């Protein structure tokens, strides 16, 4: 760590005010996790599962970009691994340099992003170091978490819902200068207050998945879940699912979680959801070669009814994609909703459309969240109504290993990454609130598999 970086951390730990932080000379460079344009063909021809983020994610010393209007530099205390960093690191479904090149043509400011390296990462907690021209809501010294919706709002389409803006981007995935770095560059309308009862790494792991789950399940822009709904949640202990399960329970719905191991069943039960299916123990095979295995899908539907007293899901919370989608469409109740935000196992979905139209079901596409939705999701974390699902953290140097674990589905909930935070457990300002919810805050650390 350079002397200046050390001074920044000391000032943060001493909770220095705006004047002191503003008075610190910022370093010209910082360490960051990158992919390299020169590497994009390195895994050509390999099956996805063998593509190894430990080989493609680098730690580089990179220059800070010039700070533009409406932007802020944030000293990143901690970040987290999201599946989008896995996609970037395995160059699938396409190298994210394509986004940087396309954006680079938009304006002088966007040109900064088109570089031969991509600083990845779409989550962070930390402290504002500087704000650019036009920023009045935030100041140096503010303790923040960052959501990853990057939008200029220059087009009319985004003004009812920023996710509909044609230039909407995911920060650290479709843009450069992401959160897996010592200093991140963000738009000021990505900043939200850091939950005071959480450590830096607990606070950093929520932004992307918590906001996505909120929009996808709760918001009127998603499934608009209501009390009493049966909600089938794939990967119910995972990155998205661990929050979707909490939202379903908080909102008076009846979640049915699907997971793939005994200890994940235990996690979902500990979250308060007694209805859990262990898909591995049940041995479901929804596909036989390139044909859907309907008998297996019916067996799955029957299992759900056993857990719900004979009812079918009002909402299916989808993200695994190709391998589960036919089952998701089939098991939703008449008039039910399949809400999807991803296709982890393949994006060319196959399902029998008769089950959709004859039973008046709807498929809804959902993607991240607008600022309002992300803010509301973060507010629930701040109040202790939704809790982080952090199971463990890695130092910045081991980001490749952390991403590998997510790629291989070895992790539970979220994996954090310490960037400037010298150790875990720092950054808590509200110990009283923390104590009240300590069992829930540390649930994944207690029950998650340690690898
Ligand atoms: P995650 O932490 O890996 O959790 C996903 C869970 O899905 C896993 O824990 C696994 O649970 C389950 N799963 C994986 N493959 C499956 C399969 N073939 N069949 C059934 N279940 C399967 O990842 P995540 O953070 O939740 O993200 C999931 C996907 O959503 C990724 O593709 C990610 O890129 C995408 N995503 C999209 C958005 C958006 O805004 N559009 C936001 C966040 C994430 P079990 O093995 O225990 O069943």
């Amino acid at each position: 760590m350079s002397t200046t970086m050390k001074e920044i951390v000391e000032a943060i730990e001493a909770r220095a005010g705006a004047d002191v932080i503003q008075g610190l000379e910022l370093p010209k460079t910082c360490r960051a996790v990158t992919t390299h344009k020169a590497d994009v063909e390195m895994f050509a021809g390999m099956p996805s599962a063998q593509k190894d983020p430990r080989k493609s994610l680098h730690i580089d010393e990179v220059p800070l970009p010039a700070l533009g209007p409406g932007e802020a530099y944030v000293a990143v205390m901690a970040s987290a691994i999201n599946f989008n960093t896995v996609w970037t690191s395995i160059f699938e479904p396409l190298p994210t340099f394509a986004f940087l090149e396309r954006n680079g043509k938009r304006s002088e400011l966007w040109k900064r992003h088109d570089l031969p390296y991509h600083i990845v990462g779409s989550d962070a907690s930390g402290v504002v170091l500087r704000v650019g021209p036009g920023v009045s809501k935030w100041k140096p010294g503010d303790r923040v978490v960052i959501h990853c919706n990057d939008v200029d709002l220059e087009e009319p389409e985004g003004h009812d819902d920023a996710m509909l803006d044609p230039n909407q981007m995911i920060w650290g995935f479709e843009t450069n200068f992401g959160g897996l770095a010592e200093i991140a560059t963000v738009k000021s309308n990505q900043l939200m207050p850091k939950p005071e009862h959480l450590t830096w790494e607990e606070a950093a792991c929520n932004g992307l998945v918590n906001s996505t789950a909120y929009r996808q399940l709760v918001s009127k822009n998603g499934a608009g879940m209501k009390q009493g709904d049966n909600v089938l949640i794939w990967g119910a202990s995972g990155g998205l699912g661990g929050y979707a399960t909490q939202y379903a329970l908080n909102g008076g719905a009846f979640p049915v979680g699907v997971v793939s191991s005994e200890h994940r069943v235990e996690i979902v039960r500990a979250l308060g959801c007694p209805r859990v299916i262990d898909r591995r123990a049940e041995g479901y095979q929804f596909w036989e070669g390139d044909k859907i295995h309907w008998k297996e899908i019916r067996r799955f539907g029957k299992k759900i009814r056993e857990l719900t007293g004979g009812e079918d899901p009002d909402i299916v919370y989808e993200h695994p994609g190709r391998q589960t989608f036919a089952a998701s469409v089939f098991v939703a109740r008449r008039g039910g909703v399949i809400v999807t935000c991803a296709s982890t196992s393949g994006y060319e979905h196959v399902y029998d459309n008769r089950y959709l139209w004859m039973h008046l079901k709807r498929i809804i596409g959902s993607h991240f969240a607008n600022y309002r939705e992300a803010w509301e999701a973060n507010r629930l974390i701040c109040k202790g109504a939704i809790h982080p699902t952090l199971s463990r953290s890695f130092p910045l140097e081991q980001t490749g290993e952390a991403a590998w674990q997510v790629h291989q589905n070895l992790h539970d909930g979220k994996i954090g990454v310490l960037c400037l935070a010298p150790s875990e457990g720092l950054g808590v300002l509200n110990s009283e609130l923390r104590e009240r919810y300590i069992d829930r805050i540390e649930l994944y650390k207690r029950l998650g598999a340690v690898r």
Side-chain angles (χ1 to χ4, degrees):
M1 205 181 284
S2 69
T3 317
T4 321
M5 214 61 94
K6 195 160 164 259
E7 282 166 8
I8 289 173
V9 174
E10 280 165 5
I12 289 170
E13 287 185 327
R15 295 188 56 202
D19 291 351
V20 175
I21 301 274
Q22 184 74 40
L24 290 171
E25 191 192 332
L26 296 190
K28 304 253 178 301
T29 63
C30 72
R31 290 187 316 150
V33 179
T34 63
T35 54
H36 293 177
K37 206 180 216 174
D39 288 346
V40 299
E41 292 299 329
M42 71 191 291
F43 301 131
M46 279 176 149
S48 292
Q50 283 172 23
K51 297 180 181 175
D52 189 342
R54 293 172 294 194
K55 298 194 172 125
S56 55
L57 290 176
H58 306 271
I59 306 283
D60 290 332
E61 191 74 28
V62 294
L64 296 192
L67 196 61
E71 291 183 340
Y73 287 144
V74 175
V76 182
M77 299 303 276
S79 180
I81 303 295
N82 285 294
F83 220 95
N84 65 4
T85 289
V86 174
W87 296 126
T88 302
S89 68
I90 63 173
F91 309 107
E92 282 193 22
L94 77 173
T96 44
F97 289 98
F99 305 132
L100 307 186
E101 286 162 17
R102 189 181 65 200
N103 285 334
K105 298 190 179 84
R106 279 170 59 193
S107 68
E108 272 307 303
L109 214 53
W110 276 102
K111 210 186 244 179
R112 295 170 305 166
H113 291 249
D114 185 9
L115 295 166
Y117 57 86
H118 186 179
I119 303 172
V120 293
S122 300
D123 267 324
S125 67
V127 170
V128 175
L129 292 175
R130 293 285 188 279
V131 294
V135 177
S136 56
K137 188 177 163 70
W138 303 94
K139 60 180 188 322
D142 286 344
R143 295 156 72 98
V144 292
V145 289
I146 299 171
H147 77 75
C148 62
N149 188 22
D150 183 310
V151 63
D152 289 332
L153 283 180
E154 284 187 306
E155 303 295 336
E157 292 95 320
H159 282 259
D160 284 337
D161 174 7
M163 291 309 295
L164 297 181
D165 190 292
N167 290 319
Q168 180 276 329
M169 303 280 154
I170 296 296
W171 165 71
F173 177 61
E174 293 163 293
T175 77
N176 218 324
F177 317 126
L180 284 159
E182 291 173 326
I183 297 179
T185 306
V186 301
K187 287 197 167 60
S188 66
N189 64 11
Q190 290 176 251
L191 301 174
M192 308 190 292
K194 174 186 172 289
E196 293 190 341
H197 63 302
L198 300 181
T199 64
W200 293 112
E201 62 279 8
E202 289 161 355
C205 76
N206 309 299
L208 189 146
V209 281
N210 180 41
S211 312
T212 305
Y214 181 87
R215 180 180 175 112
Q216 194 176 347
L217 195 54
V218 179
S219 167
K220 63 178 169 40
N221 292 317
M225 183 195 76
K226 61 177 179 15
Q227 290 187 40
D229 280 348
N230 289 308
V231 184
L232 181 77
I233 302 174
W234 290 105
S237 72
L240 289 168
Y243 293 85
T245 303
Q246 294 185 64
Y247 279 116
L249 290 164
N250 281 9
F254 301 117
V256 177
V258 186
V259 292
S260 66
S261 71
E262 221 170 279
H263 91 270
R264 287 183 179 175
V265 170
E266 198 190 339
I267 290 176
V268 177
R269 291 220 170 104
L271 286 173
C273 171
R275 294 163 294 273
V276 198
I277 299 173
D278 181 341
R279 64 182 173 98
R280 191 161 294 170
E282 296 286 342
Y284 297 118
Q285 296 292 337
F286 296 151
W287 286 84
E288 267 181 324
D290 60 357
K291 288 258 176 305
I292 295 173
H293 198 171
W294 289 102
K295 204 167 151 209
E296 284 289 274
I297 288 181
R298 285 198 187 87
R299 183 163 74 88
F300 178 59
K302 197 162 162 247
K303 181 78 193 173
I304 296 168
R305 285 183 177 172
E306 275 170 34
L307 298 173
T308 57
E311 296 173 343
D312 294 326
D314 299 272
I315 299 170
V316 180
Y317 187 86
E318 243 298 332
H319 49 87
R322 184 174 170 85
Q323 281 183 19
T324 54
F325 207 79
S328 295
V329 172
F330 178 82
V331 300
R333 77 155 171 81
R334 204 174 257 266
V337 163
I338 301 95
V339 63
T340 175
C341 75
S343 294
T344 314
S345 65
Y347 48 79
E348 292 185 337
H349 296 183
V350 180
Y351 62 90
D352 186 332
N353 202 33
R354 290 171 296 178
Y355 294 118
L356 191 84
W357 100 71
M358 292 294 287
H359 294 171
L360 301 108
K361 303 178 189 185
R362 286 175 300 139
I363 296 171
I364 297 177
S366 189
H367 186 40
F368 189 60
N370 60 39
Y371 194 14
R372 180 69 189 269
E373 290 161 336
W375 189 281
E376 293 193 352
N378 185 57
R379 174 174 166 265
L380 290 168
I381 303 254
C382 290
K383 286 182 170 289
I386 295 286
H387 302 285
T389 65
L390 186 80
S391 54
R392 68 173 298 191
S393 299
F394 285 86
L396 191 69
E397 301 75 29
Q398 287 180 35
T399 303
E401 174 62 30
W404 168 253
Q405 297 211 358
V406 174
H407 183 24
Q408 298 300 312
N409 193 12
L410 299 172
H411 66 305
D412 285 310
K414 297 297 299 175
I415 295 190
V417 175
L418 300 181
C419 298
L420 285 172
S423 63
E424 294 179 44
L426 305 173
V428 175
L429 292 187
N430 186 341
S431 309
E432 200 187 322
L433 189 61
R434 184 176 182 81
E435 269 317 299
R436 200 180 315 158
Y437 295 115
I438 193 71
D439 285 351
R440 288 298 305 273
I441 294 167
E442 301 202 332
L443 188 149
Y444 274 72
K445 287 181 216 166
R446 218 170 46 248
L447 297 181
V450 177
R451 295 183 176 86

